[in-house]
Amino acid sequence: MELALTALAIASGLAFACFLAYIGLPALAKIRLRRRFLDRVRRRAEVFLTFDDGPDEVHTPRILDILDAARVKATFFLCGAHAERHPDIVRRIIAAGHSIGEHGHAHLHPWTTGPRRTLRDLRRAAETLTRLGAPPGRRLFRPPYGKLNLMTLLFIAATRRAVVFWNVDPRDYAQAEPGPVIEAVMPKLVPGAVVLLHDGRPDDGAGAASVTAEALEMLLARVDRTRLRFAGIDN
Ligand SMILES: [Zn+2]
């Protein structure tokens, strides 16, 4: 019994070490990456609207129309699987002068995905965007769920991805009305704000982006455009 418990303690120690290496260290690294990113955008004079989880055949074209009408540039973090399904929308985003970045292929949660699958997913998303005409230069990357595992961290470092986080999250995917989105965003729209919005939904069933376009239209109508300038995140 004593021996069995000792063996279990050793096995538990190994499991703990693996956990620290695969999730704990990347979580610490993320704090530094996020701080560095936010320091960089805080020095900027613009506001950055970002849209994740698209492209979606209904919401994305509508959001593009609204952005075009308001002459606002934004950034789209595309799921590779959705981009493969809607290549024309991806090309439209690029042609309109918005920035694009990677958001994984299948929107896998980094904490529950092993290294080989993570790498395959990230590579596939990267290849899809290249094939669909992503402009050259340093590629933007927003990790699904804002989380990293060790493989994501190694991928970011090896491929020199510019990791993009956010500092305004109105949880548009969880809202049934545009009102709460606008209330959450308006007071925080200051230079250096990076707003997390969603033009699509991941296949894993997270919330839809049905109120986002409506909220965006109302928001852009309300904002004092002489005071705030919107821009896509540059690479
Ligand atoms: Zn996402």
Side-chain angles (χ1 to χ4, degrees), residues 152-161:
T152 328
L153 192 60
L154 294 171
F155 178 84
I156 289 165
T159 60
R160 291 192 65 255
R161 291 295 188 258

Side-chain angles (χ1 to χ4, degrees), residues 1-233:
M1 189 61 186
E2 281 299 306
L3 210 61
L5 277 176
T6 306
L8 280 174
I10 291 167
S12 303
L14 282 172
F16 183 57
C18 290
F19 170 80
L20 280 184
Y22 199 66
I23 290 170
L25 286 177
L28 286 178
K30 182 196 136 173
I31 295 171
R32 273 196 63 196
L33 284 169
R34 186 172 181 272
R35 196 182 302 145
R36 213 188 299 162
F37 168 76
L38 292 178
D39 282 348
R40 194 153 53 87
V41 287
R42 252 181 234 125
R43 289 196 291 268
R44 299 282 301 261
E46 298 102 337
V47 170
F48 304 92
L49 299 176
T50 66
F51 296 90
D52 287 14
D53 301 347
D56 175 90
E57 59 190 327
V58 176
H59 301 306
T60 311
R62 193 165 162 224
I63 285 169
L64 286 170
D65 287 345
I66 293 166
L67 293 172
D68 278 358
R71 294 207 198 127
V72 161
K73 299 293 179 224
T75 308
F76 290 80
F77 289 96
L78 311 168
C79 287
H82 296 177
E84 281 180 2
R85 242 174 275 152
H86 305 294
D88 292 345
I89 303 179
V90 180
R91 291 192 193 102
R92 186 181 159 193
I93 294 171
I94 297 169
H98 301 294
S99 304
I100 60 164
E102 296 160 8
H103 194 48
H105 176 80
H107 208 274
L108 304 173
H109 197 300
W111 289 2
T112 54
T113 309
R116 289 177 63 187
R117 195 161 169 229
T118 297
L119 183 59
R120 265 203 311 273
D121 183 84
L122 296 174
R123 275 183 172 156
R124 193 165 167 192
E127 284 159 12
T128 300
L129 291 209
T130 303
R131 201 170 57 244
L132 293 177
R138 200 172 175 200
R139 192 67 69 79
L140 304 177
F141 172 73
R142 174 171 277 164
Y145 305 97
K147 304 273 194 282
L148 306 174
N149 64 33
L150 184 61
M151 192 65 244
T152 328
L153 192 60
L154 294 171
F155 178 84
I156 289 165
T159 60
R160 291 192 65 255
R161 291 295 188 258
V163 191
V164 177
F165 295 94
W166 59 87
N167 50 19
V168 182
D169 178 8
R171 302 182 75 245
D172 58 336
Y173 54 87
Q175 311 294 351
E177 304 278 337
V181 178
I182 296 163
E183 279 157 35
V185 173
M186 277 305 272
K188 292 180 179 167
L189 273 192
V190 294
V194 183
V195 186
L196 172 63
L197 295 164
H198 297 80
D199 62 323
R201 52 178 296 171
D203 290 333
D204 59 12
S210 51
V211 304
T212 306
E214 208 179 329
L216 175 70
E217 196 164 24
M218 294 162 82
L219 201 76
L220 290 176
R222 263 194 223 179
V223 166
D224 177 1
R225 297 286 297 284
T226 58
R227 195 177 58 81
L228 279 183
R229 208 159 71 81
F230 291 88
I233 292 171

